[in-house]
Structure formats: structure tokens, C-alpha cells
Amino acid sequence: MSTLKRQVAPRADRVPRNGLLRARWLLPVRGAPVEDAWIRIRHGRICGFGHGKHPCGIGPRLDLGDAIVTSGFINAHTHLEFSECRQPFDASGGLPQWIDRVVRWRRQTATTAAAPLCLAPLLVGLHESAAAGVVAVGDIATAVPPAADLCLLLQGPRLRIYRELLGLAPLPPRTASPTALTVFRDAQRLSRAGIAVGLSPHAPYSTQWPLGRWAVAAARHLQHKTPATRRAS
């Protein structure tokens, strides 16, 4: 069997809104793979597919050659702020040493009110995701870019940003901590910019249980059906 070449998805403006695609393979959501496939598009939506001889008289045809056509991928847990790291962190020494390297890197690139989160790595990560066929991204964010830049995050895969909460310090009685209030305000800014939001208490070993309960309660005051997510371990 010949080797299939890796092929970047065609630009959206090349795909006909009404017409036909041809590809070596089609991987439907349900059913067996289809070889020598054709895909019919009407008004920008897939309305039929098959293999072998394609229907006639249905508009322009785009032949993708030896490509594999599949539904878009969903990356439900990313950290886009790391997108400009060109290689993974050294894992020698096991998980504790790896975590220490990640924490040191984050402290070196820590954001403040005077130097907010740079938008560049987020855009790099979204661009790389789109090029790899990802159509939806769930990002765990430790900070949020300035409000003026947020609209740029809408120009790519569908995005939901889960604002992360970390903290083992006891919570003030009957009130939210300054960290929790910052997280909530960041989520509000994202929501106002039209970005889907969520809250993410990090993990049982890094976030007090009362802070996690606060996040669940706070999520009810954000967008409709705002989700909360947490690592299990």
C-alpha cells in the first residue's frame, strides 16, 4: 500500500459552498472508512457522500488527492500560554522535578497588571491547532490578555477559556479571596468579549475544597450554563 502524504487542510475560501470534494479516504463520524470518496456540499454544509463515481452536475469539484478527510478534532484541555515553547519541559527526575521546572518557567514569565499576558502564544497555539484540523479548543488559562486584544481570539477554532484557580491558603470567612475575585473579573471580561468561559479549580492537591465550591457557585453568575472543570488527580 502506498504511503499517504501529510496534507494541510485546504483554505476555507477554496472549498466550494456548492460542489464536490474528492479524497483518497473519508472517515465518517459513524460507519466504516470510505475509500475513493466524494463529498457533496450544499450551502456550505455536507449533504451527502459516497465512493467511486460521483454524481454529475452538482457544481465545481475540488480534488484533494491522497488526503484523508475526517471530522474536526476537539482538544478539550490545552495550555495555550505554553505555545511558544519549542520543546517539552525536561521530564528527567520524574513528576516532582518536571512540576518544579514548569513552576519556575511560569514565575520567570509571570504576568502583572503592568505586563499582562501576551497574546502572541495564544494566537500561535490557535493557529497550530487549526492547521492540525482542530475545530474547538478548551484552554486552561492562568491569566487573561487585555480586553482590547480579546477579539483576536475569536478568529480561529471555537474557543472556551477556563480561568484557572490555584490556592491552598485558607479563605477569608464569608467572602472571596483577592485571587478568586481576580479570576471572576477575568471571566467577566472574557464573557463580555463574546468568548465562552469556564472556571477551573486546578486539582485537589493544589486548590482548597472551599475554593472549588466557590468556583461552582460563581459559575452560575457568569454565562448561561458556564462549566467548571477540575483535575481528578
Side-chain angles (χ1 to χ4, degrees):
M1 180 181 294
S2 62
T3 301
L4 295 178
K5 296 180 179 178
R6 186 179 185 277
Q7 185 167 325
V8 177
R11 285 172 36 184
D13 58 4
R14 289 186 57 212
V15 177
R17 283 189 55 80
N18 295 280
L20 196 84
L21 298 179
R22 295 288 317 212
R24 172 78 175 277
W25 287 98
L26 168 65
L27 306 183
V29 175
R30 298 178 62 182
V34 179
E35 189 174 10
D36 187 23
W38 56 263
I39 304 163
R40 186 174 182 179
I41 300 174
R42 181 183 297 161
H43 304 307
R45 293 181 177 273
I46 294 174
C47 63
F49 65 87
H51 69 93
K53 184 175 176 59
H54 58 79
C56 299
I58 56 175
R61 187 181 76 173
L62 177 60
D63 193 334
L64 301 177
D66 275 348
I68 299 174
V69 176
T70 183
S71 57
F73 299 116
I74 297 174
N75 191 339
H77 187 129
T78 64
H79 291 273
L80 293 176
E81 64 187 279
F82 292 103
S83 296
E84 289 189 323
C85 296
R86 292 296 89 187
Q87 59 186 17
F89 292 101
D90 183 6
S92 61
L95 181 61
Q97 284 73 21
W98 181 86
I99 291 176
D100 180 66
R101 295 181 185 104
V102 172
V103 170
R104 281 191 280 112
W105 181 88
R106 275 186 161 165
R107 286 174 177 168
Q108 291 169 1
T109 59
T111 60
T112 65
L117 178 66
C118 179
L119 191 68
L122 279 64
L123 296 178
V124 167
L126 289 173
H127 176 78
E128 291 177 345
S129 297
V134 175
V135 297
V137 170
D139 182 45
I140 311 298
T142 57
V144 173
D149 295 335
L150 291 177
C151 62
L152 299 176
L153 298 177
L154 297 172
Q155 302 172 14
R158 293 177 61 184
L159 175 66
R160 182 178 292 274
I161 295 180
Y162 293 86
R163 183 57 169 86
E164 189 173 64
L165 294 97
L166 290 160
L168 293 172
L171 291 178
R174 294 182 297 279
T175 186
S177 68
T179 298
L181 290 175
T182 297
V183 166
F184 186 74
R185 289 167 185 150
D186 283 349
Q188 286 181 314
R189 286 198 293 119
L190 290 167
S191 181
R192 286 194 294 267
I195 296 172
V197 299
L199 298 177
S200 177
H202 180 256
Y205 58 81
S206 61
T207 310
Q208 283 233 5
W209 174 241
L211 188 57
R213 287 186 300 183
W214 174 90
V216 172
R220 300 192 185 105
H221 298 283
L222 292 168
Q223 292 172 340
H224 178 58
K225 294 184 179 179
T226 295
T229 183
R230 190 179 198 182
R231 290 178 182 269
S233 61

